[in-house]
Amino acid sequence: MEEDIVVSIRELKTHLSHYLQLAKDGRRVVITERGTPIARIVITGDSFEERLRIISASGQAEWSGRRF
C-alpha cells in the first residue's frame, strides 16, 4: 500500500492541479493545517462498489466484494 501524500493548505493552493491529478491516479491526498490532518481529496463519480474497492485496497476497511 502506498503512503498517503500529506500536503499543507498553502502547498495545496499553490499546486492544486498536481494534487488533483495524484488523487485521480488513485493516491490518497491528506490536507493538513499546522500539521494536523483536516481533510482528504476524494474523487467522485465512481460507483459505490468501486469506492468500496478503493477504500478496501487502501486498508481503511474490509469488504468481501459481495453485493449488499
Side-chain angles (χ1 to χ4, degrees):
M1 181 173 86
E2 296 183 57
E3 286 192 32
D4 294 346
I5 297 169
V6 180
V7 60
S8 68
I9 294 172
R10 177 178 285 188
E11 173 71 11
L12 180 67
K13 285 170 51 176
T14 304
H15 302 286
L16 179 59
S17 60
H18 170 72
Y19 290 105
L20 289 176
Q21 185 59 53
L22 289 173
K24 285 171 40 177
D25 292 341
R27 299 295 305 271
R28 237 175 84 172
V29 180
V30 177
I31 304 159
T32 62
E33 181 178 55
R34 296 188 177 108
T36 302
I38 60 167
R40 273 191 309 239
I41 296 177
V42 178
I43 298 303
T44 62
D46 292 331
S47 69
F48 180 70
E49 288 81 10
E50 180 64 15
R51 288 192 307 256
L52 283 176
R53 187 192 64 72
I54 291 168
I55 291 169
S56 180
S58 73
Q60 295 178 1
E62 292 183 20
W63 177 43
S64 67
R66 297 184 348 185
R67 290 180 51 118
F68 286 97

